[in-house]
Amino acid sequence: MIEILQPYYQYFKAVHIVFVISWMAGLFYILSLFIYHTEANEKEEPERGILQKQFVKMEATLWKIIATPAMIISVLAGAGMLALNSGLLQMDWMWVKLAFVIGLLIYHFICQNIVKQLKNNVFKMTSFQLRLWRELATIFMIAIVFVVILKSAINWIYGLIGIMGIAMAIMIAVKLYKNYRLRR
């Protein structure tokens, strides 16, 4: 059966790439909505209530129609690629990539929990903490892309060190942006 589907490997790959892009866009946008939703608490009524109601609607729509379906299709297309080319599982870099993908899936489901919390007016994170949380998705994305492109188990160690440097730079940039916003 797999031999019959082998010519379709490139289609699985194309679908995987398209829906990974959609998934990441959904994750980046949902965090922006979380930030604005949290900052709406600083507004006076009735503006606060109107904004929060709208953010709940936008978050639910984004999550149900874009982010989660894109995640599911990404995972299924990736699994299809592995089924059609099981030799990939013999490569160390693929296991490193899969570890980062598992991290991204955990991140996705934590975001899903935040969607539910905000719907119920439970605000556990500040807008600053959410900005830092948003950057974790960036770090996962960079790590996965570098592992896939470099395809080397040794190079990913150097890449991980680089990712940590990027993470520090992002955290500093977020802090500087916060200070800039507060001064305005």
Side-chain angles (χ1 to χ4, degrees):
M1 178 67 171
I2 290 179
E3 293 79 24
I4 294 170
L5 296 174
Q6 194 62 42
Y8 298 102
Y9 178 84
Q10 295 301 327
Y11 291 102
F12 278 91
K13 189 176 191 179
V15 167
H16 182 68
I17 292 168
V18 166
F19 283 93
V20 165
I21 292 168
S22 299
W23 182 22
M24 293 306 302
L27 288 175
F28 291 141
Y29 188 46
I30 197 76
L31 265 295
S32 293
L33 292 177
F34 292 166
I35 291 163
Y36 301 139
H37 190 160
T38 300
E39 290 176 348
N41 282 328
E42 300 167 10
K43 305 289 183 185
E44 297 293 325
E45 287 296 347
E47 185 179 12
R48 175 181 23 211
I50 293 167
L51 285 171
Q52 288 183 340
K53 185 177 180 182
Q54 185 62 36
F55 284 126
V56 165
K57 182 179 179 182
M58 292 169 70
E59 290 158 359
T61 302
L62 172 63
W63 203 250
K64 292 176 185 173
I65 295 176
I66 298 173
T68 298
M71 178 269 297
I72 292 168
I73 295 169
S74 296
V75 169
L76 291 176
M81 289 167 49
L82 290 174
L84 292 173
N85 187 359
S86 60
L88 289 171
L89 293 172
Q90 304 303 315
M91 299 179 188
D92 292 339
W93 67 267
M94 179 55 72
W95 290 102
V96 173
K97 176 197 175 186
L98 292 174
F100 282 123
V101 170
I102 289 168
L104 191 58
L105 287 166
I106 292 167
Y107 180 92
H108 178 96
F109 289 110
I110 291 170
C111 288
Q112 181 171 307
N113 192 42
I114 296 171
V115 169
K116 292 176 185 175
Q117 289 171 357
L118 294 179
K119 180 181 179 182
N120 294 315
N121 287 319
V122 176
F123 297 88
K124 292 187 175 182
M125 298 173 86
T126 66
S127 62
F128 178 72
Q129 290 169 326
L130 288 165
R131 280 183 172 81
L132 290 176
W133 180 249
R134 177 177 55 195
E135 300 315 321
L136 185 56
T138 304
I139 293 166
F140 277 122
M141 179 190 65
I142 291 168
I144 291 167
V145 168
F146 272 80
V147 168
V148 170
I149 299 300
L150 296 176
K151 289 183 175 52
S152 168
I154 298 300
N155 285 342
W156 78 265
I157 294 170
Y158 297 117
L160 188 58
I161 293 167
I163 289 166
M164 297 308 285
I166 290 169
M168 293 296 287
I170 288 171
M171 288 180 12
I172 291 167
V174 169
K175 184 70 171 170
L176 290 173
Y177 178 69
K178 178 184 177 185
N179 291 338
Y180 169 76
R181 285 187 54 217
L182 291 175
R183 277 186 267 146
R184 282 186 19 198

